[in-house]
Coordinates of all heavy atoms in Angstrom, one line a residue:
M1 N -6.7 -15.1 -3.3 CA -7.7 -14.4 -2.4 C -7.0 -13.6 -1.3 O -5.9 -13.9 -0.9 CB -8.7 -15.4 -1.8 CG -9.5 -16.1 -3.0 SD -11.1 -16.6 -2.7 CE -11.8 -15.3 -1.6
A2 N -7.7 -12.6 -0.8 CA -7.2 -11.8 0.3 C -7.1 -12.6 1.5 O -7.8 -13.7 1.8 CB -8.0 -10.6 0.5
W3 N -6.3 -12.1 2.5 CA -6.1 -12.8 3.8 C -6.4 -11.7 4.9 O -5.8 -10.7 4.9 CB -4.7 -13.5 3.9 CG -4.5 -14.4 5.0 CD1 -4.4 -14.1 6.3 CD2 -4.8 -15.7 4.9 NE1 -4.2 -15.4 7.1 CE2 -4.7 -16.3 6.1 CE3 -5.2 -16.6 3.8 CZ2 -4.8 -17.7 6.4 CZ3 -5.3 -17.9 4.0 CH2 -5.1 -18.5 5.3
K4 N -7.2 -12.2 5.9 CA -7.5 -11.3 7.0 C -6.8 -11.8 8.3 O -7.0 -13.0 8.6 CB -9.0 -11.3 7.3 CG -9.5 -10.4 8.4 CD -11.0 -10.3 8.3 CE -11.5 -9.4 9.4 NZ -12.9 -9.1 9.3
K5 N -6.2 -10.9 9.0 CA -5.6 -11.3 10.3 C -6.2 -10.2 11.5 O -6.1 -9.0 11.2 CB -4.2 -11.3 10.3 CG -3.6 -11.8 11.6 CD -2.1 -12.2 11.5 CE -1.7 -12.7 12.9 NZ -0.3 -13.2 12.8
V6 N -6.8 -10.7 12.5 CA -7.2 -9.8 13.6 C -6.5 -10.3 14.8 O -6.5 -11.4 15.2 CB -8.7 -9.9 13.7 CG1 -9.2 -9.0 14.9 CG2 -9.5 -9.6 12.4
L7 N -5.9 -9.2 15.5 CA -5.2 -9.4 16.7 C -5.9 -8.6 17.7 O -6.1 -7.3 17.5 CB -3.7 -9.0 16.5 CG -2.9 -9.1 17.7 CD1 -2.6 -10.3 18.3 CD2 -1.6 -8.3 17.5
V8 N -6.1 -9.1 19.0 CA -6.7 -8.2 20.0 C -5.7 -8.2 21.2 O -5.3 -9.2 21.6 CB -8.0 -8.9 20.5 CG1 -8.7 -8.2 21.8 CG2 -9.0 -9.0 19.3
R9 N -5.5 -6.9 21.6 CA -4.6 -6.6 22.8 C -5.5 -6.1 23.9 O -6.2 -5.2 23.6 CB -3.4 -5.6 22.4 CG -2.5 -6.3 21.4 CD -1.4 -5.3 21.3 NE -0.5 -5.7 20.1 CZ 0.4 -6.7 20.1 NH1 0.7 -7.2 21.2 NH2 1.0 -6.9 19.1
T10 N -5.3 -6.6 25.1 CA -6.1 -6.2 26.3 C -5.0 -5.7 27.4 O -4.2 -6.4 27.8 CB -6.9 -7.3 26.8 OG1 -7.7 -7.7 25.7 CG2 -7.8 -6.7 27.9
I11 N -5.2 -4.4 27.9 CA -4.5 -3.9 29.0 C -5.1 -4.2 30.4 O -6.5 -4.3 30.3 CB -4.1 -2.4 28.9 CG1 -5.4 -1.6 28.8 CG2 -3.2 -2.1 27.8 CD1 -5.3 -0.1 28.8
P12 N -4.4 -4.4 31.3 CA -5.1 -4.7 32.7 C -5.8 -3.6 33.4 O -6.8 -3.9 34.1 CB -3.9 -5.3 33.6 CG -2.7 -4.6 33.0 CD -3.0 -4.4 31.5
D13 N -5.5 -2.4 33.0 CA -6.2 -1.2 33.6 C -5.8 0.0 32.8 O -5.1 0.0 32.0 CB -5.8 -1.0 35.1 CG -4.3 -0.9 35.3 OD1 -3.7 -0.1 34.7 OD2 -3.6 -1.7 36.0
A14 N -6.6 1.0 33.1 CA -6.5 2.4 32.4 C -5.2 3.0 32.6 O -4.9 3.9 31.7 CB -7.7 3.2 32.7
D15 N -4.5 2.6 33.6 CA -3.1 3.2 33.9 C -2.0 2.7 33.1 O -0.8 3.1 33.2 CB -2.8 3.2 35.4 CG -3.8 3.9 36.2 OD1 -4.3 5.0 35.6 OD2 -4.2 3.6 37.4
T16 N -2.2 1.5 32.4 CA -1.2 0.8 31.5 C -1.4 1.4 30.1 O -2.5 1.4 29.6 CB -1.4 -0.7 31.6 OG1 -1.4 -1.1 33.1 CG2 -0.4 -1.5 30.9
D17 N -0.3 1.7 29.5 CA -0.2 2.2 28.2 C 0.2 1.0 27.3 O 1.1 0.1 27.6 CB 0.9 3.3 28.0 CG 0.5 4.6 28.6 OD1 -0.8 4.8 28.7 OD2 1.3 5.3 29.1
F18 N -0.4 0.9 26.1 CA 0.1 0.0 25.1 C 1.5 0.4 24.5 O 1.6 1.6 24.2 CB -0.9 -0.1 23.9 CG -2.2 -0.7 24.2 CD1 -3.3 0.0 24.6 CD2 -2.4 -2.1 24.1 CE1 -4.5 -0.6 24.8 CE2 -3.6 -2.6 24.5 CZ -4.7 -1.9 24.8
E19 N 2.4 -0.5 24.3 CA 3.7 -0.2 23.7 C 3.4 -0.2 22.2 O 2.7 -1.3 21.7 CB 4.7 -1.2 24.2 CG 6.1 -0.9 23.4 CD 6.7 0.4 23.8 OE1 6.3 1.0 24.9 OE2 7.6 0.9 23.1
K20 N 3.9 0.7 21.5 CA 3.6 0.8 20.0 C 4.9 0.4 19.3 O 6.0 0.5 19.8 CB 3.1 2.2 19.6 CG 1.8 2.5 20.2 CD 1.2 3.7 19.9 CE -0.1 4.0 20.7 NZ -0.4 5.3 20.8
M21 N 4.8 0.2 18.0 CA 6.0 0.1 17.2 C 6.6 1.3 16.9 O 5.9 2.4 17.0 CB 5.6 -0.7 15.8 CG 5.1 -2.0 15.9 SD 5.4 -2.9 14.3 CE 5.6 -4.5 14.8
S22 N 7.9 1.3 16.6 CA 8.6 2.5 16.4 C 8.1 3.3 15.1 O 7.8 2.5 14.2 CB 10.2 2.3 16.2 OG 10.3 1.6 15.1
S23 N 8.3 4.5 15.0 CA 8.0 5.2 13.8 C 8.8 4.8 12.6 O 8.3 4.8 11.4 CB 8.0 6.8 13.9 OG 9.3 7.1 14.3
E24 N 10.0 4.3 12.8 CA 10.9 3.8 11.7 C 10.4 2.6 11.2 O 10.3 2.4 9.9 CB 12.4 3.6 12.2 CG 13.0 5.0 12.7 CD 12.7 5.4 14.0 OE1 12.1 4.6 14.9 OE2 13.0 6.5 14.4
V25 N 9.9 1.6 12.0 CA 9.4 0.5 11.5 C 7.9 0.6 10.8 O 7.7 0.0 9.8 CB 9.4 -0.7 12.6 CG1 8.7 -1.9 12.1 CG2 10.8 -1.0 13.0
L26 N 7.2 1.5 11.4 CA 5.9 1.9 10.7 C 6.2 2.3 9.4 O 5.4 2.0 8.4 CB 5.2 2.7 11.6 CG 4.6 2.3 12.9 CD1 4.0 3.3 13.8 CD2 3.5 1.1 12.7
S27 N 7.1 3.2 9.2 CA 7.5 3.7 7.8 C 8.0 2.7 6.9 O 7.6 2.6 5.8 CB 8.5 5.0 8.0 OG 8.1 5.9 8.7
Y28 N 8.8 1.8 7.4 CA 9.3 0.6 6.8 C 8.1 -0.2 6.2 O 8.1 -0.7 5.0 CB 10.2 -0.2 7.6 CG 10.7 -1.5 7.0 CD1 11.8 -1.4 6.1 CD2 10.0 -2.7 7.2 CE1 12.3 -2.7 5.6 CE2 10.4 -3.9 6.6 CZ 11.5 -3.9 5.8 OH 11.9 -5.1 5.2
M29 N 7.1 -0.5 7.1 CA 6.0 -1.3 6.7 C 5.2 -0.7 5.7 O 4.7 -1.2 4.6 CB 5.2 -1.5 8.0 CG 5.7 -2.5 9.0 SD 5.1 -2.7 10.6 CE 3.3 -2.3 10.4
E30 N 5.0 0.7 5.7 CA 4.3 1.5 4.7 C 4.9 1.3 3.4 O 4.3 1.0 2.4 CB 4.3 3.0 5.2 CG 3.5 3.8 4.3 CD 1.9 3.9 4.5 OE1 1.5 3.4 5.5 OE2 1.3 4.2 3.6
E31 N 6.1 1.5 3.4 CA 7.0 1.5 2.2 C 7.1 0.1 1.5 O 6.9 0.0 0.3 CB 8.5 2.0 2.4 CG 9.4 2.0 1.2 CD 10.7 2.5 1.5 OE1 10.9 3.4 2.3 OE2 11.7 1.9 1.0
N32 N 7.2 -1.0 2.3 CA 7.5 -2.3 1.8 C 6.2 -3.2 1.7 O 6.2 -4.2 1.0 CB 8.5 -3.0 2.7 CG 9.8 -2.3 2.5 OD1 10.5 -2.7 1.5 ND2 10.3 -1.6 3.5
Y33 N 5.1 -2.8 2.4 CA 3.9 -3.6 2.3 C 2.5 -2.9 1.9 O 1.8 -3.5 1.1 CB 3.7 -4.4 3.6 CG 4.9 -5.3 3.8 CD1 6.0 -5.0 4.6 CD2 4.8 -6.6 3.3 CE1 7.0 -5.8 4.7 CE2 5.8 -7.6 3.5 CZ 6.9 -7.1 4.2 OH 8.0 -8.0 4.2
V34 N 2.5 -1.6 2.3 CA 1.3 -0.9 1.9 C 1.5 -0.3 0.5 O 0.7 -0.6 -0.4 CB 1.1 0.3 2.9 CG1 -0.2 1.1 2.5 CG2 0.8 -0.3 4.2
D35 N 2.7 0.4 0.3 CA 2.9 1.1 -1.0 C 3.0 0.0 -2.3 O 2.7 0.3 -3.3 CB 4.2 1.8 -0.9 CG 4.0 3.1 -0.1 OD1 2.9 3.4 0.3 OD2 5.1 3.8 0.2
T36 N 3.4 -1.2 -1.7 CA 3.5 -2.4 -2.8 C 2.2 -3.1 -3.0 O 2.2 -3.9 -3.8 CB 4.6 -3.3 -2.4 OG1 4.3 -3.8 -1.2 CG2 6.0 -2.5 -2.3
G37 N 1.1 -2.9 -2.2 CA -0.1 -3.5 -2.4 C -0.1 -4.8 -1.6 O -1.1 -5.5 -1.7
K38 N 0.9 -5.2 -0.8 CA 0.8 -6.5 -0.2 C -0.1 -6.4 1.0 O -0.6 -7.4 1.4 CB 2.3 -6.9 0.3 CG 3.2 -7.2 -1.1 CD 4.5 -7.5 -0.6 CE 5.5 -7.7 -1.8 NZ 6.9 -7.9 -1.4
R39 N -0.2 -5.3 1.8 CA -1.2 -5.1 2.9 C -2.0 -4.0 2.4 O -1.7 -2.9 2.2 CB -0.4 -4.7 4.2 CG -1.5 -4.6 5.3 CD -0.9 -4.7 6.8 NE -0.4 -3.5 7.1 CZ -0.2 -3.2 8.4 NH1 0.0 -4.1 9.3 NH2 0.4 -2.0 8.6
T40 N -3.3 -4.4 2.1 CA -4.2 -3.5 1.5 C -5.0 -2.6 2.5 O -5.6 -1.6 2.0 CB -5.2 -4.4 0.5 OG1 -5.9 -5.3 1.3 CG2 -4.4 -4.9 -0.6
S41 N -5.1 -3.2 3.8 CA -5.9 -2.4 4.8 C -5.4 -2.7 6.1 O -4.9 -3.8 6.4 CB -7.3 -2.8 4.6 OG -8.1 -2.2 5.7
F42 N -5.3 -1.7 7.0 CA -5.1 -1.7 8.4 C -5.8 -0.8 9.2 O -6.0 0.4 8.8 CB -3.5 -1.5 8.6 CG -3.1 -1.6 9.9 CD1 -3.0 -2.7 10.7 CD2 -2.9 -0.4 10.7 CE1 -2.6 -2.9 12.0 CE2 -2.4 -0.5 12.1 CZ -2.3 -1.8 12.7
S43 N -6.4 -1.4 10.3 CA -7.2 -0.5 11.2 C -7.0 -0.9 12.7 O -6.7 -2.1 12.9 CB -8.6 -0.5 10.8 OG -9.2 -1.8 11.1
V44 N -7.2 0.1 13.5 CA -7.0 -0.2 15.0 C -8.4 0.3 15.7 O -8.6 1.5 15.4 CB -5.8 0.4 15.5 CG1 -5.8 0.2 17.1 CG2 -4.6 0.0 14.9
S45 N -9.0 -0.4 16.3 CA -10.4 0.0 16.9 C -10.2 -0.2 18.4 O -10.1 -1.3 18.8 CB -11.5 -0.8 16.4 OG -11.5 -0.7 14.9
P46 N -10.4 0.9 19.2 CA -10.6 0.7 20.6 C -11.9 0.3 21.2 O -12.9 0.6 20.5 CB -10.2 2.1 21.2 CG -10.6 2.9 20.0 CD -10.6 2.2 18.7
S47 N -11.9 -0.4 22.3 CA -13.2 -0.7 22.9 C -13.7 0.7 23.6 O -13.0 1.6 23.8 CB -13.0 -1.8 24.0 OG -12.1 -1.4 25.0
D48 N -14.9 0.7 24.0 CA -15.6 1.8 24.7 C -14.7 2.1 25.8 O -14.6 3.5 26.2 CB -17.0 1.5 25.0 CG -17.8 1.6 23.7 OD1 -17.4 2.0 22.7 OD2 -18.9 1.0 23.8
D49 N -14.3 1.2 26.7 CA -13.5 1.5 28.0 C -12.0 1.7 27.8 O -11.4 2.0 28.6 CB -13.8 0.3 29.0 CG -13.2 -1.0 28.5 OD1 -12.5 -1.1 27.5 OD2 -13.5 -1.9 29.3
G50 N -11.5 1.6 26.5 CA -10.1 1.8 26.2 C -9.2 0.7 26.6 O -8.0 0.9 26.5
L51 N -9.7 -0.4 27.1 CA -8.8 -1.5 27.7 C -8.4 -2.5 26.5 O -7.5 -3.3 26.8 CB -9.5 -2.1 28.8 CG -9.8 -1.4 30.0 CD1 -10.5 -2.2 31.1 CD2 -8.6 -0.6 30.7
V52 N -9.2 -2.5 25.4 CA -9.0 -3.3 24.3 C -8.7 -2.7 23.0 O -9.5 -1.7 22.7 CB -10.2 -4.4 24.3 CG1 -10.0 -5.3 23.1 CG2 -10.4 -5.1 25.5
L53 N -7.6 -3.1 22.2 CA -7.4 -2.5 21.0 C -7.6 -3.7 20.0 O -6.9 -4.9 20.3 CB -6.1 -2.0 20.9 CG -5.9 -0.6 21.4 CD1 -4.5 0.0 21.3 CD2 -6.8 0.4 20.9
T54 N -8.3 -3.6 18.9 CA -8.5 -4.6 17.9 C -7.7 -4.1 16.7 O -8.1 -3.1 16.1 CB -10.0 -4.9 17.7 OG1 -10.5 -5.4 18.8 CG2 -10.1 -6.0 16.7
Y55 N -6.8 -4.9 16.2 CA -6.0 -4.6 15.1 C -6.4 -5.5 13.9 O -6.3 -6.7 14.0 CB -4.5 -4.9 15.2 CG -3.8 -4.2 16.3 CD1 -4.1 -4.5 17.7 CD2 -3.2 -2.9 16.1 CE1 -3.5 -3.7 18.8 CE2 -2.6 -2.2 17.2 CZ -2.7 -2.6 18.6 OH -2.2 -1.9 19.5
T56 N -6.8 -5.0 12.7 CA -7.2 -5.7 11.6 C -6.4 -5.4 10.4 O -6.3 -4.2 10.0 CB -8.7 -5.4 11.3 OG1 -9.6 -5.6 12.6 CG2 -9.2 -6.3 10.2
S57 N -5.8 -6.5 9.9 CA -5.0 -6.3 8.6 C -5.5 -7.0 7.5 O -6.0 -8.4 7.9 CB -3.6 -6.8 8.9 OG -2.8 -6.0 9.7
I58 N -5.6 -6.7 6.5 CA -6.0 -7.5 5.2 C -4.8 -7.3 4.3 O -4.3 -6.2 3.9 CB -7.2 -6.7 4.5 CG1 -8.4 -6.5 5.5 CG2 -7.6 -7.5 3.2 CD1 -9.0 -7.8 6.0
F59 N -4.3 -8.5 4.0 CA -3.2 -8.7 3.0 C -3.7 -9.2 1.6 O -4.8 -9.7 1.6 CB -2.2 -9.8 3.6 CG -1.6 -9.3 4.8 CD1 -2.1 -9.6 6.1 CD2 -0.4 -8.6 4.8 CE1 -1.6 -9.3 7.2 CE2 0.2 -8.2 6.0 CZ -0.5 -8.6 7.2
R60 N -3.0 -8.9 0.5 CA -3.3 -9.3 -0.8 C -3.7 -10.8 -0.9 O -4.6 -11.2 -1.4 CB -2.3 -8.8 -1.8 CG -2.5 -9.2 -3.2 CD -1.5 -8.7 -4.1 NE -0.1 -9.2 -3.7 CZ 1.1 -8.6 -4.0 NH1 1.0 -7.4 -4.6 NH2 2.3 -9.1 -3.7
D61 N -2.8 -11.5 -0.1 CA -3.0 -12.9 -0.1 C -2.2 -13.6 1.1 O -1.5 -12.9 1.7 CB -2.5 -13.6 -1.6 CG -1.1 -13.2 -1.9 OD1 -0.2 -12.8 -1.0 OD2 -0.8 -13.0 -3.1
E62 N -2.3 -14.9 1.2 CA -1.6 -15.5 2.2 C -0.1 -15.3 2.2 O 0.6 -15.2 3.2 CB -2.0 -17.0 2.4 CG -1.4 -17.8 3.6 CD -1.7 -19.2 3.8 OE1 -2.4 -19.7 2.8 OE2 -1.6 -19.7 5.0
A63 N 0.4 -15.4 1.0 CA 1.9 -15.3 0.8 C 2.4 -13.9 1.2 O 3.4 -13.7 1.8 CB 2.3 -15.6 -0.6
S64 N 1.6 -12.9 1.1 CA 1.9 -11.6 1.4 C 1.9 -11.4 3.1 O 2.8 -10.9 3.6 CB 1.1 -10.4 0.8 OG 1.2 -10.5 -0.5
K65 N 0.8 -12.1 3.6 CA 0.9 -12.1 5.1 C 2.1 -12.9 5.6 O 2.8 -12.4 6.7 CB -0.4 -12.7 5.6 CG -0.5 -12.9 7.2 CD -1.3 -14.1 7.6 CE -0.7 -15.3 7.3 NZ -1.1 -16.5 8.2
N66 N 2.5 -14.0 5.1 CA 3.5 -14.7 5.5 C 4.9 -13.9 5.4 O 5.7 -14.1 6.3 CB 3.6 -16.0 4.9 CG 2.6 -17.1 5.3 OD1 1.8 -16.8 6.3 ND2 2.2 -18.0 4.4
E67 N 5.1 -13.4 4.3 CA 6.2 -12.4 4.1 C 6.4 -11.4 5.1 O 7.5 -11.1 5.6 CB 6.2 -11.8 2.6 CG 7.4 -11.0 2.3 CD 7.2 -10.3 0.9 OE1 6.5 -10.7 0.1 OE2 8.0 -9.3 0.7
F68 N 5.3 -10.7 5.3 CA 5.2 -9.7 6.4 C 5.6 -10.2 7.7 O 6.5 -9.6 8.4 CB 3.7 -9.1 6.5 CG 3.6 -8.2 7.4 CD1 3.7 -6.6 7.1 CD2 3.1 -8.3 8.7 CE1 3.4 -5.8 8.1 CE2 2.9 -7.3 9.7 CZ 3.0 -6.0 9.3
L69 N 5.1 -11.4 8.1 CA 5.4 -12.0 9.5 C 6.9 -12.4 9.5 O 7.4 -12.4 10.5 CB 4.4 -13.1 9.7 CG 2.9 -12.7 9.9 CD1 2.1 -13.9 10.2 CD2 2.8 -11.7 11.0
A70 N 7.4 -12.8 8.4 CA 8.8 -13.4 8.3 C 9.7 -12.4 8.2 O 10.9 -12.7 8.4 CB 8.9 -14.3 7.3
D71 N 9.4 -11.0 7.9 CA 10.3 -10.0 7.7 C 11.1 -9.7 8.9 O 10.6 -9.5 10.0 CB 9.5 -8.7 7.2 CG 10.4 -7.5 6.9 OD1 11.2 -7.1 7.7 OD2 10.2 -7.2 5.6
S72 N 12.5 -9.7 8.8 CA 13.2 -9.6 10.0 C 13.2 -8.3 10.7 O 13.3 -8.1 11.9 CB 14.8 -9.9 9.6 OG 15.2 -9.0 8.7
T73 N 13.0 -7.3 9.8 CA 12.9 -5.9 10.5 C 11.5 -5.8 11.4 O 11.6 -5.3 12.5 CB 12.7 -4.8 9.4 OG1 14.1 -4.9 8.6 CG2 12.6 -3.4 10.1
I74 N 10.5 -6.3 10.8 CA 9.2 -6.3 11.5 C 9.2 -7.2 12.6 O 8.7 -7.0 13.8 CB 8.0 -6.5 10.6 CG1 7.9 -5.4 9.6 CG2 6.7 -6.8 11.3 CD1 7.0 -5.9 8.3
A75 N 9.8 -8.5 12.6 CA 9.8 -9.4 13.6 C 10.7 -8.9 14.7 O 10.2 -9.2 15.9 CB 10.5 -10.7 13.1
A76 N 11.8 -8.3 14.5 CA 12.6 -7.8 15.6 C 11.8 -6.6 16.4 O 11.8 -6.6 17.7 CB 13.9 -7.2 15.2
E77 N 11.1 -5.8 15.7 CA 10.3 -4.7 16.4 C 9.2 -5.3 17.1 O 8.8 -4.9 18.2 CB 10.0 -3.6 15.4 CG 9.1 -2.5 16.0 CD 9.9 -1.7 17.0 OE1 11.1 -1.9 17.3 OE2 9.2 -0.7 17.6
S78 N 8.5 -6.3 16.5 CA 7.4 -7.0 17.1 C 7.9 -7.7 18.5 O 7.2 -7.6 19.5 CB 6.8 -8.1 16.2 OG 6.2 -7.5 15.1
T79 N 9.0 -8.3 18.4 CA 9.6 -9.0 19.7 C 9.8 -7.9 20.7 O 9.5 -8.2 21.9 CB 10.8 -9.8 19.3 OG1 10.5 -10.8 18.5 CG2 11.5 -10.3 20.5
R80 N 10.4 -6.8 20.4 CA 10.6 -5.7 21.3 C 9.3 -5.2 21.9 O 9.2 -5.1 23.1 CB 11.4 -4.6 20.7 CG 11.7 -3.4 21.7 CD 12.0 -2.0 20.9 NE 10.7 -1.6 20.3 CZ 9.7 -0.9 20.9 NH1 9.8 -0.7 22.2 NH2 8.7 -0.4 20.3
R81 N 8.4 -4.9 21.1 CA 7.1 -4.3 21.5 C 6.4 -5.4 22.4 O 5.9 -5.1 23.5 CB 6.2 -4.0 20.4 CG 4.9 -3.6 20.8 CD 3.8 -3.7 19.8 NE 3.7 -5.0 19.4 CZ 3.3 -5.3 18.1 NH1 3.2 -4.4 17.2 NH2 3.3 -6.6 17.7
N82 N 6.2 -6.8 22.0 CA 5.6 -7.7 22.7 C 6.2 -8.0 24.1 O 5.5 -8.3 25.0 CB 5.6 -9.0 21.8 CG 4.7 -9.0 20.6 OD1 3.9 -7.9 20.5 ND2 4.9 -9.8 19.7
T83 N 7.6 -7.9 24.2 CA 8.2 -8.1 25.5 C 7.8 -7.1 26.5 O 7.4 -7.4 27.7 CB 9.8 -8.2 25.2 OG1 10.0 -9.2 24.4 CG2 10.5 -8.2 26.6
I84 N 7.8 -5.9 26.0 CA 7.3 -4.8 26.9 C 5.8 -4.9 27.3 O 5.5 -4.8 28.4 CB 7.6 -3.3 26.2 CG1 9.2 -3.1 26.2 CG2 6.9 -2.2 27.1 CD1 9.5 -1.9 25.2
N85 N 5.0 -5.2 26.3 CA 3.6 -5.3 26.6 C 3.4 -6.5 27.6 O 2.6 -6.3 28.5 CB 2.7 -5.6 25.2 CG 2.4 -4.3 24.5 OD1 2.5 -3.2 25.2 ND2 2.3 -4.5 23.2
A86 N 4.0 -7.6 27.4 CA 3.9 -8.8 28.2 C 4.3 -8.4 29.7 O 3.6 -8.8 30.7 CB 4.6 -9.9 27.7
S87 N 5.5 -7.7 29.8 CA 5.8 -7.5 31.0 C 5.0 -6.5 31.8 O 5.1 -6.2 33.1 CB 7.2 -6.7 31.0 OG 7.3 -5.4 30.4
N88 N 4.1 -5.7 31.1 CA 3.1 -4.8 31.7 C 1.7 -5.5 31.7 O 0.8 -4.7 32.1 CB 3.0 -3.6 30.8 CG 4.1 -2.6 31.0 OD1 4.8 -2.6 32.0 ND2 4.5 -1.9 29.9
G89 N 1.7 -6.8 31.7 CA 0.4 -7.5 31.8 C -0.5 -7.5 30.6 O -1.9 -7.7 30.8
I90 N -0.1 -6.9 29.5 CA -1.0 -6.8 28.3 C -1.0 -8.2 27.7 O 0.0 -8.8 27.3 CB -0.5 -5.7 27.4 CG1 -0.5 -4.4 28.1 CG2 -1.2 -5.7 26.1 CD1 0.2 -3.2 27.3
T91 N -2.1 -8.7 27.3 CA -2.4 -10.0 26.6 C -2.6 -9.6 25.2 O -3.1 -8.6 24.7 CB -3.6 -10.7 27.2 OG1 -4.6 -10.0 27.1 CG2 -3.3 -11.0 28.8
K92 N -2.4 -10.7 24.3 CA -2.7 -10.6 22.9 C -3.2 -12.0 22.6 O -2.8 -12.9 23.0 CB -1.5 -10.2 22.0 CG -0.6 -11.3 21.9 CD 0.5 -10.8 20.9 CE 1.4 -12.0 20.5 NZ 2.3 -11.8 19.4
E93 N -4.2 -11.8 21.6 CA -4.9 -13.1 21.0 C -5.2 -12.8 19.5 O -5.8 -11.8 19.2 CB -6.2 -13.3 21.8 CG -6.9 -14.5 21.3 CD -8.3 -14.8 22.0 OE1 -8.8 -13.8 22.8 OE2 -8.9 -15.7 21.7
I94 N -4.8 -13.8 18.8 CA -5.2 -13.7 17.4 C -6.6 -14.3 17.3 O -6.7 -15.5 17.6 CB -4.2 -14.5 16.5 CG1 -2.8 -13.8 16.5 CG2 -4.8 -14.6 15.0 CD1 -1.8 -14.5 16.0
T95 N -7.6 -13.6 16.8 CA -8.9 -14.1 16.8 C -9.4 -14.5 15.3 O -10.3 -15.2 15.2 CB -10.0 -13.0 17.3 OG1 -9.8 -11.9 16.6 CG2 -9.6 -12.8 18.8
V96 N -8.7 -14.0 14.3 CA -9.0 -14.3 13.0 C -7.7 -14.4 12.3 O -6.8 -13.6 12.3 CB -10.0 -13.2 12.2 CG1 -10.1 -13.5 10.9 CG2 -11.2 -13.0 13.0
D97 N -7.5 -15.4 11.4 CA -6.4 -15.7 10.6 C -6.8 -16.5 9.5 O -6.7 -17.8 9.5 CB -5.2 -16.2 11.4 CG -3.9 -16.2 10.5 OD1 -3.8 -15.6 9.6 OD2 -2.9 -16.9 11.1
E98 N -7.4 -16.0 8.4 CA -8.2 -16.7 7.3 C -8.3 -15.9 5.9 O -8.1 -14.8 6.0 CB -9.5 -17.1 7.9 CG -10.4 -15.9 8.0 CD -11.8 -16.3 8.7 OE1 -11.9 -17.3 9.2 OE2 -12.7 -15.4 8.6
E99 N -8.4 -16.8 5.1 CA -8.7 -16.3 3.7 C -10.1 -15.6 3.6 O -11.0 -16.2 4.3 CB -8.7 -17.4 2.7 CG -8.6 -16.9 1.2 CD -8.3 -18.1 0.4 OE1 -9.1 -19.1 0.4 OE2 -7.3 -18.2 -0.3
V100 N -10.3 -14.5 3.0 CA -11.5 -13.9 2.9 C -11.8 -13.5 1.4 O -10.9 -13.4 0.6 CB -11.7 -12.5 3.7 CG1 -11.6 -12.9 5.2 CG2 -10.5 -11.5 3.4

């Protein structure tokens, strides 16, 4: 069965920018997870005030999600991005992590 993961990031004010993943790692994710059918859907939805971004990923199954999260290329870039976001007061919360 498919696996859904939802992550919510919140910035403290409109003057703070969300740090994003590098284009190289985004391309890597496309090639290794989207093109192979391991991640079947991804969307980013902003709140009306722009202070909250909701990231929704659908994976083929839990094993694909776990592989994605354990991938050293993605993990290194996630750590870089998360460190910058945290230093800018940006919070993150996983609100959904379940089989669908």
Side-chain angles (χ1 to χ4, degrees):
M1 298 214 35
W3 198 271
K4 181 177 185 176
K5 184 166 183 175
V6 178
L7 173 74
V8 177
R9 294 186 190 280
T10 305
I11 55 175
D13 55 58
D15 295 328
T16 304
D17 292 327
F18 290 99
E19 180 67 18
K20 298 177 181 160
M21 290 203 156
S22 71
S23 59
E24 293 82 13
V25 173
L26 292 174
S27 293
Y28 173 87
M29 289 169 24
E30 182 82 19
E31 180 180 319
N32 291 282
Y33 293 93
V34 176
D35 293 349
T36 61
K38 294 177 183 177
R39 184 161 82 170
T40 60
S41 175
F42 177 72
S43 64
V44 181
S45 303
S47 62
D48 289 340
D49 61 9
L51 299 178
V52 178
L53 289 179
T54 301
Y55 300 80
T56 304
S57 291
I58 306 293
F59 295 91
R60 177 175 58 208
D61 51 28
E62 185 177 15
S64 296
K65 178 206 66 154
N66 291 341
E67 179 184 343
F68 180 91
L69 294 176
D71 187 298
S72 61
T73 299
I74 296 169
E77 179 65 1
S78 293
T79 298
R80 182 201 66 80
R81 181 209 48 214
N82 292 345
T83 300
I84 293 169
N85 279 339
S87 70
N88 288 324
I90 298 171
T91 62
K92 75 173 188 172
E93 176 185 8
I94 296 170
T95 59
V96 176
D97 191 10
E98 65 188 12
E99 191 173 60
V100 291

